[in-house]
Amino acid sequence: MFELGVVYRSIRRAERTAADGLGAFGSTTVHEAQGRVGLLRPYMRPIYPGARVSGTAVTVLLQPGDNWMMHVVAEQIQPGDIVVAAVTAECSDGFFGDLLATSFQARGARGLVIDGGCRDVRDLQAMGFPVWSRAISSKGTIKATLGSVNISVVCAGAYITPGDVIVADDDGVVVVPAASAPQTLAAAVQREALEADKRARFAAGVLGLDMYKMREPLEEAGLRYIDGPPPR
Amino acid sequence: MFELGVVYRSIRRAERTAADGLGAFGSTTVHEAQGRVGLLRPYMRPIYPGARVSGTAVTVLLQPGDNWMMHVVAEQIQPGDIVVAAVTAECSDGFFGDLLATSFQARGARGLVIDGGCRDVRDLQAMGFPVWSRAISSKGTIKATLGSVNISVVCAGAYITPGDVIVADDDGVVVVPAASAPQTLAAAVQREALEADKRARFAAGVLGLDMYKMREPLEEAGLRYIDGPPPR
Amino acid sequence: MFELGVVYRSIRRAERTAADGLGAFGSTTVHEAQGRVGLLRPYMRPIYPGARVSGTAVTVLLQPGDNWMMHVVAEQIQPGDIVVAAVTAECSDGFFGDLLATSFQARGARGLVIDGGCRDVRDLQAMGFPVWSRAISSKGTIKATLGSVNISVVCAGAYITPGDVIVADDDGVVVVPAASAPQTLAAAVQREALEADKRARFAAGVLGLDMYKMREPLEEAGLRYIDGPPPR
Amino acid sequence: MFELGVVYRSIRRAERTAADGLGAFGSTTVHEAQGRVGLLRPYMRPIYPGARVSGTAVTVLLQPGDNWMMHVVAEQIQPGDIVVAAVTAECSDGFFGDLLATSFQARGARGLVIDGGCRDVRDLQAMGFPVWSRAISSKGTIKATLGSVNISVVCAGAYITPGDVIVADDDGVVVVPAASAPQTLAAAVQREALEADKRARFAAGVLGLDMYKMREPLEEAGLRYIDGPPPR
Amino acid sequence: MFELGVVYRSIRRAERTAADGLGAFGSTTVHEAQGRVGLLRPYMRPIYPGARVSGTAVTVLLQPGDNWMMHVVAEQIQPGDIVVAAVTAECSDGFFGDLLATSFQARGARGLVIDGGCRDVRDLQAMGFPVWSRAISSKGTIKATLGSVNISVVCAGAYITPGDVIVADDDGVVVVPAASAPQTLAAAVQREALEADKRARFAAGVLGLDMYKMREPLEEAGLRYIDGPPPR
Amino acid sequence: MFELGVVYRSIRRAERTAADGLGAFGSTTVHEAQGRVGLLRPYMRPIYPGARVSGTAVTVLLQPGDNWMMHVVAEQIQPGDIVVAAVTAECSDGFFGDLLATSFQARGARGLVIDGGCRDVRDLQAMGFPVWSRAISSKGTIKATLGSVNISVVCAGAYITPGDVIVADDDGVVVVPAASAPQTLAAAVQREALEADKRARFAAGVLGLDMYKMREPLEEAGLRYIDGPPPR
């Protein structure tokens, strides 16, 4: 950790079936399926609505206002990867635009998660290359200082190791450790099955109070029902 | 006020014609029609664009990170209601998603206004269940601590009493007290009529300076016109 | 500068061909083409996605919560202008809505850039009148205090002189000084030509490392490649 | 509620002994003593450290950038009051400085709580007139638009009725409804007594795990102790 | 404007008597004395309380994360100057610490105003070298990219020309154009004299309502006094 | 990582001499000495000025609004430790006050670093127990949900492993990995020695331009000196 100026070329990617399969469930279900951990801070927003992807993380640590390492990480991308970019200090500059996206997409990347800014939004949407970022900004960057590629990073408050699974959509971005991706996928499948049943019952008018048998614990906790109107 | 652990079952809802009619005018016109009061803080944003609703408020006071009371408020919903959720401290967690939305919609709710986070954005848009929130987040919540239902609450800086009218659209969220909803509707109708005429005149090139007879008061206030270019 | 209560009627607008031509390139290319200066702070966002405009700035300095000068600036608009509104203190109020937009559009304005709030989003999108603002808010404003029209202003951190060129799109807002607009346009044309070539090579799988000959400077800077996996 | 342009001259202040007595306990103890409600948002900070006051609220609703009503509320101050100022929209302007403070202090006010900006910090500290505000700003305000005095207001997210008790110190600001002030004072006295005992036991090295008998519920909740080192 | 890589060696500083004299009045009085313009955004805060300075601006435009130009501006400092540092993008890095402060102080600088971060707070306070900044951060910066010295800059929302007068204290930072500094000083002297009289009358219990003869305009604006208690 | 409901009892603390020695240098020097990494986000501020501590981290992962695990971590404290508290979602609640501080201090803790809120500021200052936090808030917390103790956590954007060294003062908070603490201490000692010399030369009026031999590289980068005044 904390190592600058280094590129790791051999990372252990999460099992492909799990990495691909998790995308179908979206960030919210996956976040729940792994016990409500692994969520990046909610300031990370998609630059255009409607995208949902999953893939294996290749990571890059950038210096503020400097996107030199973006070209270094491009070479490490394999099909099915999602690039995860952390920055050593808060910075909203536009580290990434349509040229780099063309390069990343040609290498097989499915998207970018960056704790900084992004630009060329219109082009990226036209290309179908989704980005989750903390800002949108035309501000360009220089190429002067080394960061690192494929070290573990902290991105938007989450600790991400190269090879972990990233799931991102309109709700946000979740990281699943490579080792636990298969069981998280299994848990997500199971959760989704349960939810389908619950959804049908909710749609039929059943209340959560009854479905989840909450009336008794609520009463025990002291909840009181009053038939008159509330005081002003 | 300030009462925890209580559910009021009998609230006096605003007159239905007024509650429904205000929706046609949108939050901006309604806000003006009632004298520029009742607006929730502008950090409250729709989770998807284009929705416009009005309805009667059923309120719920939540604890941070805890959505237990969401199931309690579901039972109090009647067709034409909008759920208004306040939280006892700032919290961006995802208190609400597609399952609860299914339940709320089955009970007749037209939307949710929550001073916290929301998730399952894609599903909610597909269902046509609009939400105005301070955040979007996959972060789940627990069910451990009591709040209240149908007490007066402060939501995003506005004081809202159960039964008040809520009007929400892309511009934001406005609350209209139940008692004054009919006269606010009348004022909105009148305002809209005046605006149609003004709009036509503006489109024809008439200036506000002339339409509103502002030239004289501006001159009295000391406005000076200079024909040369501005100094650099 | 700092002059209140004054309207300059004669401003030197940037050469029309340059002002119109820059719009085709968008804020990011123009920002790069003029040496990475002139960008407004990235909190300035379009109120609806997809618009791209350029035009000559007419400026207005507003007082917080007061849009009186908006009617004064309307008279100074000429076809091809973009109104740039600064405020003497941070304020998210809705200074601008569909009526003023009708007036501005009738005068030939192509859009508004305002370091404050905007309302009537739905109507403005229907009219095709784009706005870049720091907030969306139904909150109305009064007409009580003088500001100025067509003085140089600071808007969202950028210094803008009346007649400068404004370029705005989904990436943000850039100002180009009137005097340098033609050479910035030339630079943008040249940059775009170079980018088309680069884009094709990136799409063909060429890496930036090779295209930009970065391998040697990276090595000189001390970048090390490690073939084993990263340490946990 | 929502009434503009009105001054209520007769408010029912909380019982004086309770209003004065609560100040000795500070905002945190009082907040706990009344069941963890009534706290203003934590962005409200003292303009200088070390002050602790309590008193009865006289309220004023201001318009953004306009402090006209501050002079109206001054006349309604009685010895032992704290002025609570809400604003109809977010605004950081300096609504209050040393002249108004001199006036308020001469009328017997003990402090000001304002959901806006304050100035003359150095003078206010020298005078010993504490202020809790959302901002410090030299920006002056005008006197053009009516607000109200002694209506119920929402200030920094809390609903405050004239005559309620305000307790403010370095931890923040709490409101106690006038009617419940005596029992809240009693609860605070009792809580403080308990805390003194606990403090002594903590100082002697007793753990909360044992003092609060938490070991069993933690085990039931599934907490596991592991003697080896944590995994990297 | 917008010129990078240039150092202007000959700037016209404001008249010394005015530059020095304004400091005695503080930012709030000076801001009022020049008509409520020239205030930097209130996020600019002193790194320690109690300092009040005035001086003539030497300006520097920095790149984010890069303090190279700080050493260039040091050479341009003359006794009585205050350094004003703008940054081309938002950045909280610590551009300035005790070593640079020692250098600036040795050259005769009275303080620093920086729209970025500062570090070595403890040392700077011990040295008596005041700084107003947007952040405090240990994060260091590099020396790789040119900015400019003594060009006009936008710092925290204000336009500042080299040689202008800067006045800074606990209330914030104000810029006074060099040309108008003498008359602003005269206005400040006059204002302070008037305030002393007002202060005495306020202290004696006179109300602003009477001192400023506000009762009639308030009544004309429609203010109503009600003797009963406010409605709940 | 990501493990909930677990307490590791055996952590490898950094070597005591290094952990203690680093405190003398402060967060800025230590941050530089280890290559400009390891800084927590600058929103982490001391609750009172002037404290400077170093120590070995014991970590705790809290749930938002829940301080149950604070009592669990207390038992794991050894003399010379600093407690580092992360939270699974953004939360400003007051997780920590004078009672817990009494307990922590009795166990030998030197301070707390918490990515949440803190209360009882006055008491903590009187006790000399420093806290660095993201907020100050009277809001209390519940004890309902498990987190973990002595797992690696992300706190304010930094990855912290139990046993790492924490250095905190008015400039912020830095983490030094346990393994590299001795060499970071050595580097800090060396850096400080160099700085003393530089400080003396700066104080004597030597410019950084000359001390660091920057004139040539600046000229090569294209810096131009102009003797006339800057253009307006």
Side-chain angles (χ1 to χ4, degrees), chain C residues 71-90:
Chain C
H71 291 283
V72 178
V73 76
E75 192 176 29
Q76 307 306 318
I77 294 169
Q78 293 185 5
D81 283 342
I82 290 176
V83 179
V84 173
V87 189
T88 60
E90 283 191 30

Side-chain angles (χ1 to χ4, degrees), chain D residues 36 171 199 224 226-227, chain F residues 7 9-10 75 98 120 141:
Chain D
R36 291 187 188 159
D171 285 0
R199 199 173 290 112
R224 292 172 302 120
I226 295 173
D227 283 327
Chain F
V7 182
R9 273 198 279 231
S10 305
E75 193 176 29
D98 78 308
D120 295 328
T141 49

Side-chain angles (χ1 to χ4, degrees), chain A residues 38-134:
Chain A
L39 185 66
L40 278 67
R41 292 292 184 212
Y43 63 72
M44 296 295 284
R45 301 301 306 147
I47 61 167
Y48 58 84
R52 172 171 286 180
V53 296
S54 68
T56 37
V58 292
T59 67
V60 56
L61 181 62
L62 304 168
Q63 302 285 356
D66 192 311
N67 77 343
W68 208 10
M69 302 308 287
M70 281 300 212
H71 291 281
V72 178
V73 75
E75 192 176 29
Q76 306 306 318
I77 294 170
Q78 293 186 6
D81 282 342
I82 290 176
V83 178
V84 174
V87 189
T88 62
E90 284 192 30
C91 182
S92 65
D93 287 359
F95 294 85
F96 185 85
D98 76 308
L99 286 185
L100 270 167
T102 303
S103 177
F104 281 22
Q105 204 173 46
R107 307 287 299 179
R110 293 176 178 168
L112 169 71
V113 172
I114 181 167
D115 197 1
C118 173
R119 56 189 195 170
D120 293 329
V121 167
R122 171 197 282 228
D123 297 324
L124 295 175
Q125 184 165 17
M127 293 169 60
F129 190 87
V131 176
W132 286 258
S133 71
R134 68 178 302 144

Side-chain angles (χ1 to χ4, degrees), chain D residues 27-28 31-32 36 39 42 45 52 171 199 202-203 207 209 214-215 221 223-227 229-231, chain F residues 5-10 12 68 71 75 98 102-103 106 119-122 136 138-141 143 146 150:
Chain D
S27 65
T28 290
H31 170 65
E32 290 285 345
R36 291 187 188 159
L39 185 67
R45 299 301 305 146
R52 172 171 286 179
D171 285 0
R199 199 173 290 112
F202 274 129
L207 287 166
L209 290 175
M214 288 173 172
R215 293 191 190 273
L223 189 67
R224 292 172 302 120
Y225 284 86
I226 295 173
D227 283 327
Chain F
V6 64
V7 182
Y8 287 95
R9 273 198 279 231
S10 305
R12 277 166 259 166
W68 208 11
H71 291 282
E75 193 176 29
D98 78 308
T102 303
S103 177
R119 56 189 195 171
D120 295 328
V121 168
R122 168 196 284 228
I136 291 170
S138 296
K139 183 72 164 59
T141 49
K143 299 177 203 318
L146 293 188
N150 280 335

